[in-house]
Amino acid sequence: MAEIIRLEKLTKIFQDKRNTTVAIKDIDLVIEQGDIYGIIGLSGAGKSTLIRCINLLEKPTSGAVFFEGTNLVELKDSQLRQTRQKIGMIFQNFNLMEQRTVLRNVLFPLEIAHIAKDTAKERAVELLNLVGLSDKLDSYPSQLSGGQKQRVAIARALANNPSVLLCDEATSALDPSTTLSILQLLKEINQKLGITIVIITHEMKVVETICNKVAIIDESVIKETGLVAEVFANPQTPIAKNLIYPKLGVINKEFGSVLLKLTFDKTVLEPVVADMILKTQVAVNIIEASIKQGDNGSTGEMIIQLPNDQNSIAKVQNYLTTKNISFQQSNTEVQQ
Ligand SMILES: Nc1ncnc2c1ncn2[C@@H]1O[C@H](COP(=O)(O)OP(=O)(O)OP(=O)(O)O)[C@@H](O)[C@H]1O
Ligand SMILES: [Mg+2]
């Protein structure tokens, strides 16, 4: 895949009379065309600063931001404004214009770009249709739910046909089911329109749900990067382990060193774990479970510990595969 964004030794230092804050330091990162790249870290890690440096909303103190081969740091203001149209952005608080209708919010960037009125309207209507709001063109932001507001913001961010969409905690103000629907929309945009997406979040769930790659940022530096499946299966740094397995209590390592993280993404109608133990005759230890019981079954995650015996491990894995339950393997070393 072709590279679309390359950050080299990107550093941002905030300086006022009293304090010097190094918000991001020597960040190197490559994002390829078509990626849904998650950048995850705790509060204050430097996530927002990093994403705002990508489109130069924040001017880096040093380092380079290459976008489609051009170093944005070296561009003149007018060139930068032009290039920025190719980088859309959405925020946690939507940043809609309250005095404007939904349609006129989406028209705004097209007005700035001096697009002819008819063409602009056609484009805005088409985008609002894409995000599922064709019946809300004349509503005002105050009349919309959070999820609907974010859909308007997404339509507006896509108005000038960007090749990249930056999302800063785009779902953090939304409830879990609305979050899921927005993430699904972002995935659709990535697949249908071929737009590269960069997602800043403090929630592993978001990364797990739609990202193909992830970077973990902690205390202003990138600690770990890679394919989501690989980083999740084998986190290397303490911060990555902590983000992926946040709530592990004390584990009795004598029992066994293999952990499986099960994800019940579809509703599960049978008591799978009980059934698994009966069928496989393998005693497993439930370390952690966050399962929601709905009317039609359960959804959520569970971490189980398996005995150190290849035969038992294989039996359990086979069982889960047959039942179509996704799982990731790790080991007790994830515990700090
Ligand atoms: N405009 C600013 N002036 C001074 N310091 C700033 C400014 N913006 C951010 N910082 C500091 O830079 C550091 C990183 O902040 P940043 O907003 O990038 O973190 P974050 O990872 O986005 O956190 P959160 O998850 O809480 O949004 C923090 O110590 C913050 O106080
Ligand atoms: Mg932030």
Side-chain angles (χ1 to χ4, degrees):
M1 274 200 293
E3 128 185 352
I4 187 160
I5 293 169
R6 169 184 288 268
L7 310 179
E8 285 180 1
K9 291 211 162 298
L10 196 65
T11 298
K12 174 72 187 183
I13 300 170
F14 291 105
Q15 181 110 46
D16 60 28
K17 281 174 206 145
R18 288 187 200 154
N19 298 306
T20 302
T21 309
V22 182
I24 53 168
K25 187 173 158 51
D26 288 337
I27 301 243
D28 291 325
L29 197 69
V30 173
I31 297 172
E32 291 180 308
Q33 221 146 30
D35 276 342
I36 303 187
Y37 208 120
I39 299 174
I40 182 162
L42 304 173
S43 185
K47 305 182 295 294
S48 295
T49 307
L50 174 58
I51 205 165
R52 290 165 64 83
C53 281
I54 294 180
N55 60 2
L56 263 71
L57 268 185
E58 205 72 75
K59 196 175 174 329
T61 307
S62 60
V65 179
F66 289 96
F67 171 72
E68 294 180 343
T70 307
N71 186 357
L72 301 187
V73 175
E74 289 170 353
L75 292 184
K76 292 197 198 91
D77 281 356
S78 59
Q79 294 170 308
L80 180 60
R81 238 173 285 137
Q82 198 78 32
T83 310
R84 257 203 204 123
Q85 293 192 355
K86 305 199 74 183
I87 311 178
M89 186 160 184
I90 58 172
F91 305 85
Q92 177 171 2
N93 299 321
F94 324 121
N95 289 8
L96 297 180
M97 299 158 109
E98 296 294 327
Q99 310 304 324
R100 282 182 167 235
T101 61
V102 164
L103 180 63
R104 292 192 60 236
N105 263 281
V106 181
L107 283 172
F108 185 70
L110 296 165
E111 290 166 13
I112 302 281
H114 304 295
I115 305 295
K117 262 193 180 152
D118 288 355
T119 319
K121 177 151 186 212
E122 206 175 301
R123 173 92 185 126
V125 170
E126 179 191 320
L127 283 165
L128 283 163
N129 192 24
L130 173 78
V131 301
L133 288 181
S134 29
D135 56 337
K136 299 284 183 196
L137 304 192
D138 298 322
S139 302
Y140 284 87
S142 61
Q143 298 170 311
L144 303 179
S145 70
Q148 291 169 333
K149 285 183 195 173
Q150 197 57 290
R151 286 171 188 270
V152 178
I154 291 170
R156 185 180 59 180
L158 298 181
N160 284 313
N161 285 313
S163 41
V164 173
L165 179 64
L166 307 177
C167 313
D168 188 356
E169 302 276 7
T171 57
S172 298
L174 307 174
D175 65 49
S177 76
T178 311
T179 292
L180 207 58
S181 76
I182 294 293
L183 294 179
Q184 271 157 0
L185 174 61
L186 291 175
K187 180 134 207 173
E188 200 181 310
I189 286 165
N190 169 260
Q191 287 174 342
K192 271 199 195 155
L193 311 178
I195 294 177
T196 304
I197 298 184
V198 183
I199 291 188
I200 293 286
T201 181
H202 62 273
E203 290 175 284
M204 243 336 154
K205 192 94 209 138
V206 169
V207 174
E208 224 174 342
T209 308
I210 63 162
C211 299
N212 64 324
K213 293 182 193 155
V214 62
I216 293 166
I217 180 169
D218 188 39
E219 295 179 340
S220 319
V221 300
I222 300 271
K223 291 281 169 70
E224 198 163 333
T225 59
L227 295 172
V228 169
E230 286 171 10
V231 173
F232 271 61
N234 197 10
Q236 300 292 315
T237 56
I239 179 70
K241 292 173 184 176
N242 199 11
L243 283 163
I244 295 169
Y245 296 94
K247 291 172 287 187
L248 291 189
V250 177
I251 300 175
N252 171 8
K253 294 182 185 174
E254 312 265 288
F255 183 84
S257 59
V258 173
L259 298 180
L260 294 185
K261 181 172 180 176
L262 319 185
T263 307
F264 305 107
D265 39 11
K266 296 168 218 87
T267 45
V268 177
L269 290 163
E270 3 167 12
V272 223
V273 177
D275 186 58
M276 177 181 81
I277 295 169
L278 286 171
K279 295 260 164 67
T280 60
Q281 290 289 302
V282 177
V284 308
N285 193 16
I286 296 174
I287 302 282
E288 157 79 30
S290 52
I291 307 284
K292 272 203 198 84
Q293 301 287 354
D295 291 342
N296 302 315
S298 322
T299 56
E301 285 175 359
M302 183 181 284
I303 298 171
I304 59 174
Q305 184 181 19
L306 302 181
N308 278 336
D309 141 35
Q310 283 312 320
N311 191 22
S312 301
I313 295 168
K315 274 193 207 159
V316 168
Q317 289 175 333
N318 284 341
Y319 177 91
L320 293 170
T321 309
T322 327
K323 294 283 173 183
N324 260 327
I325 295 166
S326 58
F327 61 91
Q328 274 164 331
Q329 187 167 334
S330 176
N331 61 52
T332 47
E333 296 307 311
V334 297
Q335 197 188 17
Q336 289 163 61

